[in-house]
Amino acid sequence: MANIKDVTKESWILSTFPEWGTWLNEEIEREEVKPGTFAMWWLGCTGIWLKSEGNTNILCDLWCGSGKRTHGDGKMRMGHQMQHMSGCLNVQPNLRAQPFVIDPFEIKNVDALVVTHIHSDHLDINTAAAVNNNCPEAKFIGPQEVVNTWLEWGVPEEKTIVVHPGDTVKVKDIEVEALEAFDRTALVTAKDGEVLKGKMPQDMDEIAVNYLFKTTGGNVYHAGDSHYSNMFAKHGNEHQVDVCLGAFGENPRGITDKITSVDILRMAESLNAEVVIPVHYDIWTNFQADPKEITELWNMKKDRLQYKFKPYIWQVGGKYVYPTDKDKMEFNFYRGFDDVFAIDNDIPFPSFL
């Protein structure tokens, strides 16, 4: 029997985190993707696990870190991108709102870790270490500055692949194509103490890209943290986009960092997508938003504007299969208890319940 004398902070952490243990790791590993489909799981923020019918596994933007953990001195770190953007002084209250649904150190069979851009809630040292140690054949794919960070962390150079817009990388039966990103927050991310006024902006192509994952079951467009851009229409003209993911959220006053509900719909329309899935709104307490707002706006506009796509409201840890789920509009976890009364129930008398 357990004894409170044996309980420590360390034992609590090891027995509790990640909160889902290896439940999702096991589910993904056991999934057999049917021909003509692909499966993906939302891992929080913009992190997804993509699995093809050929058993190719791509991990994108998995973040296993935390936001604010202390009030500190109450001030924003000087030179933070949000300070560059807005001139704020007070600390950003970005607490992590989402539990950890996957154990990075139990990850297996990853063929590629793909990262969209340089920000730490997408480019994660814990994920890099786990994939490097557990999946020795995995490739590390990202823009130049992402790869530079991996190299600084100790990822072997021969495992890394630098991509710029227009580049493609074949990962077994999935083709990964890099496309232009539109992440203006990344453009105002700089080294500590660096002044941006009066300077030419950074080259976006070196710090951020969007991706099109082409599978035998359909294509997924991952927009990273891109803001809305007219260039989405160009990408939609040039590529088949079946499912698109966009970084949705409610921007605090004086901040433009996430795509709002109106522009989530515009993004899907511009990309000629069949399905649009909002992500990222789950993770930060100060950017949380209600994705049902997207559904309500879609219902208001779909007949007048003749939308050819549907929004899908996902949940972190949930699975989405395309095209099987393309006409669904909301995810719900399996509720269980399909086998009620498979054996005699054990109650004092039949009318007890």
Side-chain angles (χ1 to χ4, degrees), residues 29-42:
E29 187 174 355
R30 294 170 183 172
E31 178 76 12
E32 294 184 6
V33 179
K34 294 180 180 179
T37 73
F38 66 79
M40 60 181 182
W41 291 260
W42 187 14

Side-chain angles (χ1 to χ4, degrees), residues 44-84:
C45 200
T46 66
I48 63 165
W49 187 304
L50 176 64
K51 190 170 186 177
S52 73
E53 65 175 275
N55 200 34
T56 303
N57 292 274
I58 290 182
L59 192 57
C60 181
D61 277 14
L62 173 60
W63 175 54
C64 298
S66 66
K68 292 294 183 295
R69 296 166 58 89
T70 172
H71 286 269
D73 64 0
K75 298 299 179 184
M76 178 79 76
R77 176 177 61 80
M78 296 299 290
H80 188 276
Q81 55 266 26
M82 297 301 179
Q83 187 177 75
H84 281 301

Side-chain angles (χ1 to χ4, degrees), residues 9 32 35 41 49 77-78 130 132-133 157 165 291 301 335:
K9 183 175 182 178
E32 294 184 6
W41 291 260
W49 187 304
R77 176 177 61 80
M78 296 299 290
N132 183 65
N133 295 336
E157 185 173 4
K301 295 182 172 189
R335 299 174 70 197

Side-chain angles (χ1 to χ4, degrees), residues 58-61 111-117 123 138-144 146-147 150 159-164 167-171 174 176-178 209 211 213:
I58 290 182
L59 192 57
C60 181
D61 277 14
D111 297 295
L113 173 61
V114 180
V115 168
T116 57
H117 67 288
L123 174 59
K139 295 300 183 183
F140 288 68
I141 301 169
Q144 184 66 63
V146 166
V147 170
W150 278 330
K159 290 187 176 185
T160 64
I161 299 175
V162 175
V163 290
H164 295 93
D167 291 342
T168 61
V169 180
K170 190 73 172 177
V171 183
I174 295 179
V176 181
E177 181 165 359
V209 293
Y211 290 104
F213 298 104

